[in-house]
Amino acid sequence: MLADLEHRRLGRRDFVQRAGALGLSARATAMLLGTAGVAVPASVMAAAQEQGGTMRFAVTTDPETLDPQVTTNSAAYTVFDMIYSTLIYQDLDLTFQGLLAESWEISDDNLNVTFHLREGITFHDGSPFTADSVRYTFERLQESGSRSPIYEEINKITAMEVVDDRTITLTFSEPSATFMNAISNGYGGILSESAVAEAGDEFGRVASGTNAWTLEDWQTGSLVTLHAFEEFNAAPGYYENRGRPYIDSIEYKVIPEAFTQVASLETGEIDAIELTATDVPRFENDDRFQIFTSRTTGINNLGLNPTRPLTSDVNVRRAIAHAIDRDEIVNTLFEGGLAEPVYTALPPSIQGYSAEIEEMAPHFDLEEAERLLAEAGWERGDDDVLVKDGEQLAPVLYTTTSTANGQIATLVQAQLRKVGIDMTIEQMEIAALLEFAITGEHDIILLGYNWNEPDALYLFLSSDRLESSNQARYSNPEFDELVRQGQRTLDHEERMAIYYDAQKILIEDMPWVPLYMPITKTAVASRIQGVDIFPTGGLLLNDAWVAD
């Protein structure tokens, strides 16, 4: 019967009916449908979702603390993000929606944000969530959260007025559109004032939030165990189950070695890991596991220095963009689908990405590349290399010493040679490369970024960042004004329109040639059903259940 379903000789409805007639439980039926790659009907899904069981993860290191305000440790974030809820969250379409806040209003001058909070929310220690909880959380972060990655954003708040238990108004020293992104992740989790007061300096070992999971046990160096919060009733809108998780417990086992993590997944000791290119084929073809794919929030790109003689002509920069075959790069170097070609400065995983901008961007077209180079005055000379005024078009590409970047650079070198560009490659240690880039003495630089906010355009391409993160050495006053305006505009639609215009300028000036967006693949044991994944990574577990 399962074979008939897999080969589509048996419809989903008939399969469910026959499974019922054979006495199969809803849970068993759901598992069989999932194994066959068939969507599980909502009625079967609901019947199959029973409380119980444990899901086990591997982490490479022990969390240093579960206080979200005093760490940037990724292992800590993995755990405390399950414990604390935030005022808002990022939805599957990457827009911001209310979570602990039902709604919010922004003043005309963009200096005040008033949050209206949800009723009936309780912390793990039993205390109620109120506007005072928000005030306390942000005041504490301002006072002692200098190690937090959102510290600077919270410090832009100059006043916090608790209007009533359900309303709080924040006043800013300057408009900050990036504030919403900052408070939508676990670092912006709302704390229980009473729990912090009781625990004191030990709060990082006890933790108390309002999210779906409570800290049950912490065996330092080996295991952290979370338990489903019975009073939980504030799940993000992308879940069908808005209350307590179906899974009883989550365990985070400390397993430092990657090969041991893989072995532990195969033996059933853990239930989920992120795969490398080497691991993808063996797990994709094993029906004991489900593979979930997500995009990262960044790109790898070529920075074309407009201040250097060989790359100062925009026609040369546009020709290079047309000469790059991104599909060849992805298909040759990223087995298992671990990258996706990208043509825009903001990848599809980030707010502000536009399919219209992608259509405008240069795509692989050797004839157009050769036309632009000829228009710029370059002609074929000795060894078929382009020459102008007695100088060959032979730029130098600088990148890191990583194997992957070396392979990408070599492939780009071969692609550019087809249009007569004789590029050479220099690899440097990352620290030395970043220092060298500030001097502006490079023609081309191969690097990338990972930033989940369109403010990446300001961070990596604005004139303000020429002495730090703007390795392309790009400067355009019109672009600068737009990305600064983007930082100050809180209205979402207006802000996205600003980044649309900024990206149009980048298409015209071509300081960057975007290459690809890295992709992650996560293997999850098939005994864990109902799992999904956020578009930019992170398993979604509130609808999940343990099937055995």
Side-chain angles (χ1 to χ4, degrees):
M1 190 169 74
L2 183 58
D4 287 340
L5 178 69
E6 289 175 335
H7 292 90
R8 303 304 188 259
R9 294 190 295 266
L10 183 66
R12 186 179 69 172
R13 178 180 296 180
D14 290 336
F15 180 88
V16 172
Q17 290 175 345
R18 293 189 192 183
L22 290 172
L24 293 178
S25 67
R27 179 167 287 204
T29 302
M31 276 207 69
L32 289 173
L33 287 169
T35 299
V38 177
V40 183
S43 58
V44 174
M45 182 78 82
Q49 292 167 326
E50 300 173 4
Q51 291 183 7
T54 299
M55 185 173 183
R56 299 158 302 208
F57 291 87
V59 291
T60 55
T61 62
D62 198 42
E64 59 176 330
T65 178
L66 294 180
D67 183 341
Q69 298 190 347
V70 296
T71 182
T72 58
N73 180 270
S74 60
Y77 183 93
T78 297
V79 180
F80 70 63
D81 190 46
M82 310 290 278
I83 295 173
Y84 301 98
S85 296
T86 53
L87 289 179
I88 62 176
Y89 72 96
Q90 196 170 39
D91 209 344
L92 299 179
D93 63 0
L94 306 183
T95 60
F96 295 116
Q97 305 294 333
L99 192 57
L100 295 181
E102 286 186 326
S103 62
W104 58 91
E105 300 155 1
I106 301 169
S107 62
D108 291 340
D109 60 6
N110 287 339
L111 291 177
N112 295 282
V113 181
T114 299
F115 289 99
H116 302 282
L117 310 179
R118 290 186 58 177
E119 294 188 57
I121 304 297
T122 304
F123 285 101
H124 299 160
D125 69 343
S127 61
F129 163 72
T130 67
D132 279 319
S133 308
V134 179
R135 174 199 51 75
Y136 170 75
T137 297
F138 291 161
E139 284 183 349
R140 180 177 185 264
L141 206 156
Q142 288 180 329
E143 292 169 2
S144 58
S146 59
R147 293 183 60 194
S148 168
I150 68 170
Y151 176 71
E152 291 183 0
E153 288 297 330
I154 300 301
N155 264 351
K156 293 177 182 178
I157 302 173
T158 58
M160 308 182 203
E161 179 189 1
V162 174
V163 180
D164 55 44
D165 279 353
R166 305 264 70 82
T167 312
I168 184 170
T169 297
L170 307 180
T171 300
F172 294 80
S173 58
E174 60 183 25
S176 175
T178 53
F179 174 77
M180 292 300 189
N181 181 70
I183 65 168
S184 68
N185 63 67
Y187 292 110
I190 304 301
L191 311 183
S192 163
E193 183 173 4
S194 60
V196 175
E198 182 176 348
D201 292 340
E202 294 299 309
F203 178 69
R205 295 287 305 186
V206 297
S208 181
T210 60
N211 210 345
W213 302 92
T214 65
L215 178 62
E216 180 177 304
D217 184 44
W218 187 351
Q219 300 173 31
T220 302
S222 62
L223 181 68
V224 177
T225 303
L226 307 182
H227 193 274
F229 180 34
E230 299 295 338
E231 306 301 319
F232 180 65
N233 61 351
Y238 42 70
Y239 287 117
E240 290 186 13
N241 173 29
R242 308 303 295 278
R244 177 209 193 272
Y246 298 116
I247 297 174
D248 273 347
S249 299
I250 289 179
E251 293 181 352
Y252 295 95
K253 297 188 175 184
V254 179
I255 305 177
E257 301 84 7
F259 68 89
T260 306
Q261 292 186 11
V262 172
S264 298
L265 180 66
E266 289 187 307
T267 60
E269 183 183 347
I270 61 172
D271 295 307
I273 63 167
E274 186 175 309
L275 301 176
T276 65
T278 303
D279 300 322
V280 168
R282 93 198 229 204
F283 284 100
E284 279 188 326
N285 298 316
D286 191 332
D287 61 10
R288 295 176 300 163
F289 305 99
Q290 312 157 74
I291 307 297
F292 294 90
T293 301
S294 60
R295 296 162 160 173
T296 55
T297 55
I299 61 172
N300 278 42
N301 62 77
L302 297 177
L304 308 181
N305 187 344
T307 70
R308 296 285 287 177
L310 294 181
T311 47
S312 61
D313 190 324
V314 69
N315 277 348
V316 172
R317 299 198 297 272
R318 293 184 65 83
I320 291 173
H322 280 296
I324 301 298
D325 186 347
R326 297 159 178 82
D327 289 330
E328 183 183 23
I329 293 172
V330 167
N331 295 333
T332 303
L333 302 178
F334 296 94
E335 298 178 11
L338 294 180
E340 178 180 314
V342 170
Y343 299 86
T344 56
L346 296 178
S349 55
I350 294 180
Q351 292 184 78
Y353 164 79
S354 166
E356 291 182 14
I357 294 293
E358 180 171 331
E359 286 295 318
M360 299 176 197
H363 285 58
F364 180 53
D365 187 338
L366 291 180
E367 289 185 4
E368 179 64 9
E370 291 175 338
R371 187 193 69 78
L372 288 166
L373 290 167
E375 187 175 310
W378 294 92
E379 299 177 349
R380 298 275 183 165
D382 295 341
D383 300 324
D384 215 26
V385 176
L386 291 171
V387 178
K388 180 181 179 181
D389 298 330
E391 183 177 12
Q392 289 187 325
L393 186 49
V396 181
L397 179 148
Y398 290 84
T399 191
T400 69
T401 55
S402 78
T403 300
N405 277 5
Q407 292 173 332
I408 295 165
T410 300
L411 191 49
V412 167
Q413 180 184 52
Q415 291 178 351
L416 294 184
R417 191 65 178 79
K418 292 178 182 179
V419 295
I421 299 175
D422 189 24
M423 187 186 79
T424 56
I425 300 168
E426 292 285 345
Q427 290 186 263
M428 305 171 67
E429 294 293 338
I430 181 63
L433 177 62
L434 295 178
E435 286 294 323
F436 174 71
I438 292 175
T439 69
E441 295 176 7
H442 56 285
D443 301 315
I444 304 174
I445 189 166
L446 170 61
L447 281 173
Y449 75 84
N450 191 10
W451 200 260
N452 67 339
E453 231 283 329
D455 193 46
L457 298 184
Y458 170 82
L459 292 175
F460 300 107
L461 286 169
S462 73
S463 301
D464 292 348
R465 310 291 292 191
L466 283 170
E467 301 305 315
S468 54
S469 52
N470 181 354
Q471 288 98 11
R473 308 299 295 174
Y474 174 64
S475 180
N476 180 319
E478 184 182 359
F479 174 85
D480 290 341
E481 178 54 34
L482 283 170
V483 293
R484 291 184 193 120
Q485 188 179 344
Q487 292 179 319
R488 302 190 299 266
T489 303
L490 274 66
D491 181 273
H492 179 74
E493 290 187 7
E494 290 181 14
R495 189 169 186 241
M496 294 305 104
I498 290 168
Y499 289 118
Y500 179 92
D501 290 340
Q503 289 178 87
K504 284 179 65 177
I505 294 174
L506 295 180
I507 295 298
E508 295 168 1
D509 291 349
M510 285 312 298
W512 268 4
V513 179
L515 298 178
Y516 66 90
M517 171 180 59
I519 301 293
T520 60
K521 288 182 180 282
T522 303
V524 179
S526 293
R527 77 185 195 96
I528 311 295
Q529 291 288 298
V531 176
D532 207 341
I533 195 164
F534 195 79
T536 56
L539 295 179
L540 305 178
L541 300 178
N542 223 54
D543 291 332
W545 76 94
V546 180
D548 61 8

